[in-house]
Amino acid sequence: MRIEELTEAQRQYYYIEQCHQWVAGREKALGRPLTAAVITFGCQMNARDSEKLTGILEKIGYHMVDSESADFVIYNTCTVRENANMRVYGRLGHMKQVKRKNPDMFIALCGCMMQEPEVVEKLKKSYRHVDLIFGTHNIFKFAELIYRRIHEEKMVIDIWKDTDQIVEDLPNDRKYPFKTGINIMFGCNNFCSYCIVPYVRGRERSRQPEDILREIESVVADGVVEVMLLGQNVNSYGKNLEEPLSFAELLRKICRIDGLLRVRFMTSHPKDLSDELIQVMAEETKICRHLHLPLQSGSTEILDKMNRRYTKESYLRLVDKLRAACPDISITTDIIVGFPGETEDDFLETMDVVRKVRYDSAYTFIYSKRTGTPAAVMENQVPETVVKDRFNRLLEEVQTIAADVCSRFEGSIQDVLVEEVNHQDPELVTGRMSSNIVVHFKGDASLIGKIVPVKLTSCRNFYYIGEPVQA
Ligand code: 5AD
Ligand code: SF4
């Protein structure tokens, strides 16, 4: 068959094989194995993409290590806040010296930050030691791009503005054998006014339900018991499919898969969280008792400027409905402090929601101006000292409430999925409850990947110490 007649996945396997031969040749010449490292910044979507990058590197023949002095180092970047970008530049500066010692090494960059033209210009000008740059839409081409870098012997850049392509069936290497993320959709159409994601991740695209179910069935056959369904806004899953299917309907189908024990998902947008979904969550016992429901702000006026399309009151009503349907549910959130025009009164509205909802945990962020987003040019940007003061007050409130909320399970018996042997005390294992709360208890590595009933004997702020209950 000619290469033009292959499917995209087959083409990529062809390049994987070509690169594999090159790696084998290099290893022979050097008399040692070639190593590679994937360094991940940002969210769960990036973590999942990094598993795909790792899978391809392994198939090519690289030995994965945890060190930035590897023969191939790739940074999977995030650009949601400015400080994420600064960290990448810092690391790249340091890599100049590392590459001086190993001039044949490859340094690659991918992920959201690469979708910003100014970033790529800066890299071309001031970071000439970078070998390969690609973006969020063509990560499936990783092997082909490595092949090009090997043969062209100069910096390779391949950034796509957008895509409607979803390439299935490429290799990937799961970080944990018993749990994994599963992409159900890509991109975002919401254009919250502070957020750069819709510009760097492109328009919303849902995967076909059959492809999702097939992938989950195959990972379950391979030992996975918990999946995290991933998308920027999972609640709008399926709206643009030729045969539309709601997220709630997809969840029901996933819960029917034998051998799968737990289902999580993220992220939910409050504006799209339907009654149908709440009902499915209440009925399906495999769905974990945890919902991440980003608030961003408690002020209806600020929410409007953020283009979030819900109000303080409708958000609180949603939380009430959820709690009525799933009484024990853990709710977590994201909050931004210092959005342009935020007054002390607006901030107090946020504090009010925090006190009313009583989150299990909240990720709190200082607003970061992202060039190209509508909020970047809004008037009344809030002075840094005011923002810092609000941020500290919010953090304290969130932490005090979280410690109190977390203790509600004390004395009860809960199912814990064991994830690892405890790093500090090898007599203990560490796992997570359905609500995502961490539990440590006596056990050994044979329990990893198993669900164990555990009596929660004492709560230490955000986690529990427990005792396994004999079944
Ligand atoms: N500044 C600060 N936080 C932001 N987030 C998204 N964009 C920005 C920004 N410009 C936060 C939101 C989102 C989380 C992933 O990151 O809270 O939910
Ligand atoms: Fe950004 Fe809003 Fe889309 Fe989330 S829903 S990725 S905050 S634009």
Side-chain angles (χ1 to χ4, degrees):
M1 209 188 301
R2 302 210 330 264
I3 190 156
E4 305 84 65
E5 292 166 3
L6 301 176
T7 65
E8 188 53 49
Q10 287 168 331
R11 281 186 71 237
Q12 294 309 318
Y13 273 101
Y14 165 81
Y15 288 114
I16 287 172
E17 181 48 38
Q18 296 295 311
C19 294
H20 188 91
Q21 285 172 19
W22 179 85
V23 166
R26 291 282 307 153
E27 289 189 335
K28 210 160 162 204
L30 292 169
R32 63 169 179 86
L34 286 192
T35 55
V38 179
I39 319 285
T40 312
F41 296 87
C43 67
Q44 308 249 7
M45 302 279 270
N46 264 20
R48 180 68 184 138
D49 284 349
S50 286
E51 292 185 343
K52 297 177 184 173
L53 298 170
T54 305
I56 293 171
L57 285 167
E58 282 178 335
K59 271 259 174 334
I60 287 176
Y62 281 102
H63 298 257
M64 300 312 296
V65 290
D66 233 349
S67 152
E68 282 169 87
S69 44
D71 297 294
F72 194 118
V73 178
I74 178 158
Y75 297 92
N76 188 5
T77 64
C78 166
T79 187
V80 85
R81 287 169 290 274
E82 178 68 24
N83 55 6
N85 291 35
M86 297 326 290
R87 278 171 60 203
V88 170
Y89 289 127
R91 297 288 267 273
L92 282 181
H94 164 71
M95 289 308 283
K96 218 174 238 175
Q97 274 103 56
V98 177
K99 193 161 179 173
R100 228 167 259 153
K101 287 196 202 118
N102 181 9
D104 290 333
M105 79 177 292
F106 287 154
I107 300 176
L109 286 162
C110 67
C112 294
M113 195 176 149
M114 300 307 120
Q115 294 294 138
E116 293 181 276
E118 320 77 76
V119 169
V120 176
E121 280 313 306
K122 184 165 169 167
L123 291 170
K124 280 206 287 205
K125 230 170 57 218
S126 314
Y127 296 85
R128 297 294 311 163
H129 56 300
V130 171
D131 295 281
L132 172 56
I133 300 175
F134 57 100
T136 54
H137 301 300
N138 53 349
I139 116 165
F140 66 86
K141 278 182 74 182
F142 188 31
E144 181 178 347
L145 295 172
I146 297 176
Y147 177 85
R148 270 185 56 196
R149 172 60 191 81
I150 291 169
H151 293 277
E152 291 176 17
E153 296 189 6
K154 61 177 203 291
M155 193 192 247
V156 170
I157 302 179
D158 191 12
I159 314 276
W160 299 2
K161 276 210 153 34
D162 207 345
T163 185
D164 52 10
Q165 211 174 345
I166 298 177
V167 180
E168 303 283 348
D169 300 326
L170 282 174
N172 70 78
D173 178 73
R174 294 194 310 274
K175 192 168 167 210
Y176 300 96
F178 53 88
K179 70 168 185 180
T180 189
I182 300 282
N183 296 110
I184 62 165
M185 58 200 300
F186 301 94
C188 181
N189 283 355
N190 289 314
F191 291 94
C192 300
S193 62
Y194 51 81
C195 187
I196 200 155
V197 168
Y199 307 91
V200 296
R201 287 265 174 189
R203 293 295 61 72
E204 203 171 279
R205 284 151 281 141
S206 296
R207 280 177 78 193
Q208 293 295 339
E210 312 82 74
D211 290 336
I212 297 170
L213 291 166
R214 195 162 45 92
E215 182 178 357
I216 299 178
E217 276 158 7
S218 116
V219 295
V220 167
D222 204 25
V224 163
V225 291
E226 178 179 300
V227 292
M228 165 77 92
L229 310 176
L230 297 171
Q232 302 295 346
N233 177 14
V234 290
N235 301 143
S236 70
Y237 170 82
K239 286 189 179 148
N240 301 323
L241 288 172
E242 259 171 47
E243 288 177 46
L245 179 85
S246 71
F247 179 54
E249 288 167 317
L250 177 72
L251 272 175
R252 281 213 199 273
K253 286 182 194 280
I254 291 174
C255 289
R256 296 285 79 75
I257 295 177
D258 276 341
L260 180 66
L261 303 179
R262 280 182 171 181
V263 181
R264 300 183 185 278
F265 52 85
M266 104 176 340
T267 294
S268 290
H269 194 307
K271 81 175 165 60
D272 297 316
L273 197 128
S274 64
D275 289 350
E276 186 197 11
L277 177 59
I278 295 177
Q279 198 183 338
V280 172
M281 290 181 72
E283 286 169 12
E284 295 287 353
T285 50
K286 289 186 184 179
I287 300 179
C288 288
R289 306 287 96 182
H290 171 218
L291 187 73
H292 187 68
L293 195 62
L295 168 70
Q296 314 301 4
S297 168
S299 152
T300 296
E301 214 166 301
I302 294 293
L303 286 170
D304 185 45
K305 289 189 185 144
M306 287 178 162
N307 193 29
R308 290 289 289 177
R309 287 171 277 174
Y310 54 86
T311 63
K312 176 187 182 188
E313 289 70 29
S314 67
Y315 184 95
L316 288 172
R317 272 199 303 276
L318 197 54
V319 169
D320 284 345
K321 265 202 270 185
L322 263 165
R323 291 233 161 99
C326 314
D328 252 355
I329 196 164
S330 285
I331 301 179
T332 58
T333 201
D334 293 341
I335 299 172
I336 298 175
V337 180
F339 184 83
E342 183 189 74
T343 62
E344 177 63 16
D345 280 351
D346 291 320
F347 174 69
L348 292 176
E349 298 274 19
T350 300
M351 292 286 263
D352 187 43
V353 176
V354 165
R355 288 184 191 118
K356 287 194 164 114
V357 175
R358 298 178 60 75
Y359 294 104
D360 273 65
S361 73
Y363 296 96
T364 49
F365 303 109
I366 286 180
Y367 167 71
S368 169
K369 197 188 216 180
R370 309 310 288 127
T371 310
T373 62
V377 291
M378 284 182 186
E379 285 171 6
N380 301 323
Q381 303 275 335
V382 186
E384 205 179 307
T385 48
V386 176
V387 180
K388 287 232 161 95
D389 171 64
R390 286 181 193 159
F391 181 82
N392 292 336
R393 281 151 68 202
L394 176 67
L395 194 64
E396 201 186 322
E397 192 68 33
V398 158
Q399 287 182 343
T400 312
I401 293 173
D404 195 30
V405 168
C406 176
S407 71
R408 73 190 181 282
F409 295 107
E410 205 162 45
S412 70
I413 295 172
Q414 300 286 337
D415 282 344
V416 175
L417 172 59
V418 180
E419 301 200 334
E420 57 195 6
V421 172
N422 190 287
H423 296 299
Q424 268 116 44
D425 182 349
E427 305 258 286
L428 298 180
V429 288
T430 298
R432 282 175 191 274
M433 291 164 38
S434 164
S435 62
N436 214 30
I437 295 174
V438 169
V439 182
H440 307 289
F441 67 95
K442 235 186 176 62
D444 58 38
S446 68
L447 295 176
I448 292 175
K450 301 217 162 68
I451 292 189
V452 180
V454 177
K455 172 143 196 204
L456 306 178
T457 45
S458 76
C459 178
R460 312 267 168 93
N461 281 338
F462 308 109
Y463 64 89
Y464 279 99
I465 302 291
E467 284 164 11
V469 179
Q470 301 305 329

